[in-house]
Amino acid sequence: MTTFLATEDVVTLTRQLGLEQTLRQMTAYIEADFLRWEEFDKTARVASHSEVGVIELMPAADKDLYAFKYVNGHPSNPQVGLPTVMAFGALAEVSTGKPLLLSELTLTTALRTAATSALAARVLARPASRVMALIGNGSQSEFQALAFHYLLGIDTIRLYDVDAGATAKLRANLAQVEGLELIVCHSAADAARGADIVTTVTADKTNAIILDASMIEPGMHINAVGGDCPGKTELAADILWRASTFVEFEPQSRIEGEIQQMPADYAVQPLWEVLAGKRIGRRTAEEITVFDSVGFALEDYASLRFLYDQAQARALGVSLELVPELVDPKNLFGEALGAATAVSAAPARATGVLAA
């Protein structure tokens, strides 16, 4: 049988653990798998683009487990009552191909993206960082805010969105978070002023310039989350020329990330090597660092592994017969359909000639 986790099951898990512990544990799973980077079969996600959005398939596997995520990105979806990003995924045994878990990943993607952002900032931002600008206050913004608050100690967040209603929504959702000050700003430049970390998480599918070089101060860490498909960026190229840039999986980031606007010889550094101590992250207090985050399948693999372990420990979800359970695995027709299949009242006669 396959365990199925609906959105309500992931909500239940998050409430049982608490959001802070959910983010901490998910971050630990993601870091553990990044540290095993070389053990994984990795590929850039397969994308199907249209004029209105993108649908993607994201696989990753090691010798024991295979995972994939189906995810879309349609910026106009809220106009028809749907989230911009929706996702589900599966975890299976490599040894048999048996699906172990089928799960919602819409809520989980927001959690794992925020967890990965905080994990990267832990090694790339200045240790004493306390102020973050959050530019783009849509559906993922609260998760980003809370991950940085709980995991890195950010206590002041400067907010900006072209949609004032999005900022009002974020303020209402986080109004009761203890020790977190939210400051509404009137432009991206205003929000970035004096920030230690700048997170950009906008949704429009365009080569936008959310941040330009005039907004960047020495020592900033930029967490660029919104640029995640071809033709969609948030940072002016001048910023990247000034910064040290870190990526998840370079072949995918070259196609989809901020670095899609840079020449092929523009140097980037793999985040996993920094986490593993193979490279130095931030070198000086004045250095500008960029995490060019596009979201990588290994993060979903880790998240599905986390969900599966929690589901087993907490008896969450339901069991589905996603694949047939057979007494004789070679007799699919007989066991699944044989006894229940109606026989034609007028069986075809054997004539030695196949019917058309």
Side-chain angles (χ1 to χ4, degrees), residues 21-40:
Q21 280 304 312
T22 299
L23 286 165
R24 287 190 183 280
Q25 292 193 33
M26 189 170 288
T27 301
Y29 272 68
I30 293 169
E31 182 174 18
D33 286 335
F34 265 77
L35 293 177
R36 298 192 300 119
W37 183 269
E38 295 173 303
E39 299 177 20
F40 285 89

Side-chain angles (χ1 to χ4, degrees), residues 93-134:
E93 292 177 341
V94 167
S95 60
T96 65
K98 176 185 175 182
L100 302 173
L101 177 70
L102 178 65
S103 178
E104 86 79 42
L105 288 183
T106 304
L107 173 58
T108 303
T109 292
L111 288 164
R112 74 85 157 131
T113 302
T116 304
S117 292
L119 176 62
R122 193 187 76 199
V123 293
L124 300 179
R126 290 177 293 196
S129 295
R130 292 294 176 267
V131 179
M132 181 168 81
L134 185 51

Side-chain angles (χ1 to χ4, degrees), residues 51-129:
E51 293 182 357
V52 294
V54 63
I55 296 174
E56 299 169 326
L57 188 66
M58 303 172 63
D62 65 5
K63 65 181 180 61
D64 296 315
L65 296 171
Y66 172 93
F68 76 82
K69 180 170 79 172
Y70 166 101
V71 62
N72 77 300
H74 287 71
S76 62
N77 268 5
Q79 298 173 23
V80 294
L82 292 171
T84 298
V85 175
M86 298 176 287
F88 67 88
L91 189 69
E93 292 177 341
V94 167
S95 60
T96 65
K98 176 185 175 182
L100 302 173
L101 177 70
L102 178 65
S103 178
E104 86 79 42
L105 288 183
T106 304
L107 173 58
T108 303
T109 292
L111 288 164
R112 74 85 157 131
T113 302
T116 304
S117 292
L119 176 62
R122 193 187 76 199
V123 293
L124 300 179
R126 290 177 293 196
S129 295

Side-chain angles (χ1 to χ4, degrees), residues 8 38-39 48 64 73 119 131 145 147-148 156 159 177 183 187 224 310 318 328 346:
E8 64 185 33
E38 295 173 303
E39 299 177 20
S48 177
D64 296 315
L119 176 62
V131 179
F148 278 85
T156 302
L159 308 174
V177 177
I183 300 172
S187 69
Q310 290 294 325
V318 298
D328 179 1

Side-chain angles (χ1 to χ4, degrees), residues 22-24 26-31 34 37 108-124 140 143-144 147-148 151-152 221 223 225 246-249 271-272 275 291-300 302-303:
T22 299
L23 286 165
R24 287 190 183 280
M26 189 170 288
T27 301
Y29 272 68
I30 293 169
E31 182 174 18
F34 265 77
W37 183 269
T108 303
T109 292
L111 288 164
R112 74 85 157 131
T113 302
T116 304
S117 292
L119 176 62
R122 193 187 76 199
V123 293
L124 300 179
Q140 294 212 28
F143 298 90
Q144 293 284 328
F148 278 85
L151 306 186
L152 270 76
H221 171 62
N223 177 41
V225 179
F246 300 80
V247 299
E248 293 141 308
F249 184 56
L271 177 63
W272 80 268
L275 294 171
F291 177 43
D292 188 3
S293 169
V294 297
F296 183 54
L298 185 57
E299 295 149 28
D300 302 305
S303 299

